[in-house]
């Protein structure tokens, strides 16, 4: 696959949303700061039970490298066993977003953190994300990155207890205050704007 690559030189706003900790260092001799090096990344999804929506599927992938001096964006319309990039040596925050089914385009780290994904677009799969800090000194293979679901599909079974089933009949069910969107990176607090929530369609039963 030949990904479309976008670069944008801009300052990156630091945020606690991306995982901190030890930075994996390149095993190769340091390269010059102005010479791109080859970096390889592999992805895996967290294990989930099989449901109507394939919660393990990784389809399209948006990959971001954020640093203080330069940002990179790579888009892959299909999953592959590994992904290879040419980027300049440096310290980066790596963020991965899968299953949004579009090229999200270049953006800053703060813009990615604020990005919201509509629940109406979750039909065949669920968006998954991951992030880590990396230090790239030369050509290297990054640690395998596990992407985690940014949302979940919930299935309900609703019934009337046998003890009262003669007197109570279940005629309809409606789910209320359902979020319209979900953030993909970070842990933003729930919105207090009523416009960010909606009531689902009323489900009715034909049972007598």
């Amino acid at each position: 696959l030949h990904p479309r690559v976008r670069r944008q030189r801009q300052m990156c706003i630091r945020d606690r949303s991306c995982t901190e900790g030890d930075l994996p260092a390149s095993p190769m001799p340091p390269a010059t700061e102005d010479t791109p090096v080859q970096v390889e990344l592999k992805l895996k999804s967290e294990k989930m039970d099989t449901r109507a929506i394939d919660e393990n599927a990784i389809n399209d992938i948006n990959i971001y490298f954020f640093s203080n001096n330069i940002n990179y964006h790579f888009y892959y319309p299909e999953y592959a066993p590994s992904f290879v990039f040419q980027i300049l040596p440096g310290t980066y925050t790596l963020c991965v977003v899968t299953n949004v089914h579009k090229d999200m385009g270049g953006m800053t780290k703060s813009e990615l953190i604020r990005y919201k994904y509509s629940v109406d677009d979750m039909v065949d799969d669920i968006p998954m994300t991951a992030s880590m800090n990396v230090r790239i000194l030369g050509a290297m293979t990054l640690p395998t990155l596990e992407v985690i679901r940014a949302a979940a599909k919930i299935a309900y079974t609703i019934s009337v207890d046998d003890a009262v089933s003669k007197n109570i009949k279940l005629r309809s069910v409606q789910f209320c205050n359902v979020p319209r969107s979900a953030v993909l990176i970070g842990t933003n607090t729930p919105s207090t704007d009523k416009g960010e929530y909606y009531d689902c369609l009323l489900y009715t039963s034909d049972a007598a």
Side-chain angles (χ1 to χ4, degrees), residues 132-208:
M132 67 177 175
N133 294 330
V134 295
R135 181 180 293 117
I136 297 172
L137 303 179
M140 66 179 297
T141 297
L142 296 172
T144 299
L145 190 59
E146 181 180 53
V147 290
I148 299 174
R149 295 176 306 153
K153 176 179 180 286
I154 301 175
Y156 287 90
T157 299
I158 302 175
S159 61
V160 178
D161 190 275
D162 291 339
V164 294
S165 60
K166 292 183 179 180
N167 301 318
I168 299 178
K169 299 297 182 182
L170 188 62
R171 301 291 187 184
S172 64
V173 175
Q174 184 176 26
F175 298 99
C176 302
N177 295 326
V178 179
R180 293 184 181 276
S181 61
V183 294
L184 298 177
I185 298 288
T187 55
N188 291 354
T189 56
S191 173
T192 57
D193 182 359
K194 293 182 178 179
E196 292 290 331
Y197 303 88
Y198 71 103
D199 296 341
C200 291
L201 294 174
L202 184 67
Y203 300 93
T204 59
S205 172
D206 296 330

Side-chain angles (χ1 to χ4, degrees), residues 87-150:
I87 65 177
L88 292 174
T91 299
Y92 295 89
T93 296
L94 165 62
C95 295
V96 176
V97 179
T98 73
N99 299 344
V100 297
H101 303 288
K102 70 175 182 179
D103 184 340
M104 296 172 62
M107 61 180 75
T108 65
K109 181 179 172 184
S110 59
E111 289 172 335
L112 180 59
I113 290 170
R114 294 194 302 268
Y115 186 91
K116 293 184 178 181
Y117 183 75
S118 173
V119 297
D120 292 336
D121 296 329
M122 298 183 205
V123 179
D124 298 321
D125 53 24
I126 290 177
M128 294 187 285
T129 64
S131 62
M132 67 177 175
N133 294 330
V134 295
R135 181 180 293 117
I136 297 172
L137 303 179
M140 66 179 297
T141 297
L142 296 172
T144 299
L145 190 59
E146 181 180 53
V147 290
I148 299 174
R149 295 176 306 153

